[in-house]
Amino acid sequence: MHRIGYLLADGFQMMGLANQTVYELANRALGQPFYTVQCHSLQGGLLSPTFGPAIQTRALSARSRADTWMVPGVIDPLGQPADPQLVQRLRQLAPHARRTVGLCTGAFVLADAGLLEGRRATTHWGFADALQRRHPGIAVEPDRLHIVDGPIWTSAGMTAALDLALAMVEKDLGAEVARRVAHSLVMHQQRSGGQSQHSEMLKLAPKSDRIQRVLEHVRGHLAQPLGVEELAEVANLSPRQFSRVFVAETGQSPAKAIEGLRLEAARLMIEKSRHPLEVVARENGFRDRRHLREAFLRGFGVPPRAARSEGRKAG
């Protein structure tokens, strides 16, 4: 049995508890309980989040034990600094755990406890610079979904905690159980820890269903040429109308948007697989590995092999 303990402070962010469903579904996939989950706080009793119902918690003591301690974040870790007593308690408990995890801005609590010193870590992109300034001994990587550095795990903001939880399930129970859990959660894909916090689809943010439909078509046919005429037909517009509407809604030309989606898909494939770069290039619409490398350098500032190496470190 793997015990997961959540360390909560008053005013915690409710999204930090959402990944408990990952462990529930992992138990169901196994057909038997493997994970147990308990919520803790300094005093115990009911604890209120920033929004939503109060949560019943157990009182923390120096003898409290968990295999994994999870520290959810708060909306503003600068305006709501961690309680020194909670920091001290975490410092005492972490050495007895298999893992200690900072979810979103929960990384600030781990940092204040000295658990991130000399380690790689991430947090919500909006507070990454502040974390780095406050704790210069941490190698803060603001553009990562989650990072594993020994027994310390940290995740980016909000939904990235689901990706981290799936990575934990994969580590504990194997890739097949993690895949089944992701499928139950209707997650399009399990994102690797090294993947960027910023999604190309979210960045484009089309305002109409027809352009959204075009982008979904692009993502499903990246290996094909994808000319303007084909995309205009998907949108039920003339090529000239389509190009004008696409730029107006996304702020990018169709060609630039397609390259961004291709690069995002190629990066994920590089990080999560051992496919040769020739295969990665072909399946994502690049002419060859040289074309992929040129686009990768232009888009990410590093060659594909460096991204593969970094993705393996993050995993």
Side-chain angles (χ1 to χ4, degrees):
M1 191 73 69
H2 188 100
R3 299 162 299 172
I4 300 178
Y6 285 74
L7 270 58
L8 305 180
D10 198 42
F12 68 92
Q13 217 290 316
M14 184 65 86
M15 188 68 188
L17 302 185
N19 65 4
Q20 292 184 6
T21 301
V22 172
Y23 308 116
E24 175 190 8
L25 294 176
N27 287 346
R28 290 177 63 86
L30 282 176
Q32 60 183 340
F34 177 81
Y35 294 107
T36 63
V37 173
Q38 293 179 345
C39 292
H40 301 256
S41 65
L42 284 173
Q43 305 302 325
L46 288 173
L47 203 69
S48 297
T50 53
F51 186 82
I55 300 295
Q56 187 67 39
T57 64
R58 292 188 173 196
L60 275 173
S61 74
R63 292 180 292 182
S64 297
R65 292 292 181 266
D67 298 293
T68 296
W69 286 112
M70 310 281 276
V71 185
V74 296
I75 290 292
D76 181 7
L78 305 181
Q80 184 186 343
D83 187 316
Q85 291 185 52
L86 183 65
V87 171
Q88 177 62 25
R89 186 66 75 204
L90 178 61
R91 190 180 293 124
Q92 295 170 339
L93 297 176
H96 302 285
R98 176 181 166 191
R99 284 183 292 239
T100 304
V101 181
L103 300 173
C104 190
T105 60
F108 280 77
V109 185
L110 272 64
D112 290 347
L115 302 178
L116 299 184
E117 192 67 21
R119 296 185 183 275
R120 299 166 56 239
T122 192
T123 188
H124 189 289
W125 61 266
F127 294 98
D129 288 345
L131 180 63
Q132 186 66 85
R133 288 193 301 271
R134 181 176 293 186
H135 297 279
I138 303 171
V140 179
E141 300 184 20
D143 199 24
R144 292 290 181 268
L145 287 180
H146 60 81
I147 288 177
V148 180
D149 191 331
I152 306 299
W153 295 45
T154 51
S155 79
M158 302 299 180
T159 59
L162 295 173
D163 299 286
L164 180 145
L166 280 170
M168 284 178 52
V169 169
E170 183 171 352
K171 185 83 169 177
D172 295 339
L173 301 173
E176 176 57 23
V177 173
R179 186 198 64 78
R180 290 165 63 185
V181 171
H183 185 67
S184 295
L185 288 168
V186 199
M187 293 178 70
H188 178 68
Q189 61 189 20
Q190 182 185 342
R191 301 179 295 179
S192 68
Q195 192 173 345
S196 171
Q197 293 190 33
H198 304 285
S199 162
E200 285 297 315
M201 288 288 280
L202 289 176
K203 186 192 300 183
L204 293 168
K207 299 176 178 61
S208 67
D209 289 344
R210 59 187 174 186
I211 300 302
Q212 179 69 39
R213 190 165 61 247
V214 167
L215 293 174
E216 293 290 351
H217 177 83
V218 169
R219 194 160 63 175
H221 299 81
L222 291 174
Q224 298 177 11
L226 295 172
V228 170
E229 291 78 9
E230 176 184 346
L231 301 183
E233 186 175 343
V234 173
N236 197 26
L237 295 168
S238 71
R240 185 174 179 180
Q241 285 177 311
F242 167 72
S243 294
R244 185 173 64 251
V245 170
F246 191 94
V247 171
E249 292 199 16
T250 68
Q252 295 186 16
S253 69
K256 184 172 178 58
I258 290 169
E259 180 173 280
L261 291 169
R262 281 178 167 148
L263 279 173
E264 185 174 65
R267 180 173 177 171
L268 178 62
M269 192 172 176
I270 286 167
E271 292 172 346
K272 293 292 287 183
S273 78
R274 296 182 180 272
H275 290 301
L277 294 181
E278 292 85 350
V279 173
V280 175
R282 183 173 64 248
E283 293 196 6
N284 291 287
F286 297 97
R287 291 190 302 274
D288 50 34
R289 61 182 297 166
R290 182 177 179 178
H291 183 207
L292 171 63
R293 188 178 191 277
E294 291 171 352
F296 223 84
L297 282 168
R298 187 166 59 247
F300 300 125
V302 296
R305 290 193 182 280
R308 172 160 283 172
S309 174
E310 186 65 23
R312 288 175 180 170
K313 288 180 186 176

